[in-house]
Amino acid sequence: MNEWTTSLRTGLPIAYDGEQFTVAEIEGRRILLRQTGVVGAPKLRQVDISALLAHPSTEILVAAPAEEAAPAAVLGGLTDDEDDELTQKVRHVQEVLTGYRLGDAVLALDGEPREDYAPGTPMLHRYAAKAAELKVGESTIRRWISSCFRSQVLGRFAP
């Protein structure tokens, strides 16, 4: 089952009790519906929000958003160059956050942790060091890290 949400707002097209309406007004718990697709003056109907939403014939007449591709499908569609670029960005983020490009002392590469990313080094210093190393602004490094936290999983990191 595809689940999605939409805001209950004026102008929203709704099917209710065998007729098509648009939401004309919302005031407190009451909704004023304006009948659509009729000749002559449209019929107005006022209903309680809970009655409208609980009624078995109620249907929101807005197309459901397209389903997003699964992260694995998106990552599987990357070219080799895009995959390499993403891998490098993830490693830079992990180095700033943990001191290790692979994200853990157990997986430390030769020479890790580097002085600018060693445990106990303030995060602001790490941001500045990484920005200088890559010749980008500190805001770019912060954006990469913020993106990483929003996606919750480094495997879904979107630069």
Side-chain angles (χ1 to χ4, degrees):
M1 179 177 189
N2 185 8
E3 294 184 22
W4 60 279
T5 60
T6 189
S7 297
L8 187 59
R9 57 181 162 59
T10 58
L12 182 69
I14 294 178
Y16 172 67
D17 202 18
E19 299 178 272
Q20 290 189 6
F21 298 92
T22 58
V23 175
E25 281 183 24
I26 302 172
E27 185 173 324
R29 294 182 46 94
R30 307 296 292 173
I31 294 183
L32 182 63
L33 301 174
R34 177 173 293 134
Q35 189 179 23
T36 59
V38 295
V39 178
K43 179 169 75 173
L44 297 174
R45 196 160 171 186
Q46 188 176 41
V47 295
D48 186 84
I49 289 175
S50 59
L52 174 73
L53 297 177
H55 198 277
S57 70
T58 300
E59 184 179 346
I60 305 297
L61 301 176
V62 176
E67 288 190 35
E68 293 183 20
V74 172
L75 294 175
L78 296 176
T79 65
D80 287 344
D81 288 342
E82 291 169 331
D83 185 60
D84 291 344
E85 180 183 351
L86 180 59
T87 297
Q88 290 307 310
K89 285 182 180 178
V90 169
R91 286 183 177 186
H92 287 303
V93 166
Q94 290 181 141
E95 185 173 35
V96 170
L97 295 175
T98 68
Y100 303 95
R101 286 173 276 178
L102 297 180
D104 195 296
V106 173
L107 303 171
L109 299 173
D110 289 339
E112 288 187 331
R114 297 189 293 165
E115 183 178 340
D116 286 326
Y117 309 102
T121 303
M123 289 305 288
L124 291 177
H125 177 81
R126 292 179 183 205
Y127 289 149
K130 187 56 74 175
E133 175 185 333
L134 299 177
K135 296 178 177 55
V136 297
E138 287 183 45
S139 61
T140 297
I141 304 304
R142 285 192 179 98
R143 189 173 57 252
W144 289 358
I145 291 169
S146 174
S147 177
C148 172
F149 282 118
R150 275 194 312 271
S151 67
Q152 297 294 310
V153 178
L154 287 174
R156 292 181 53 200
F157 179 71

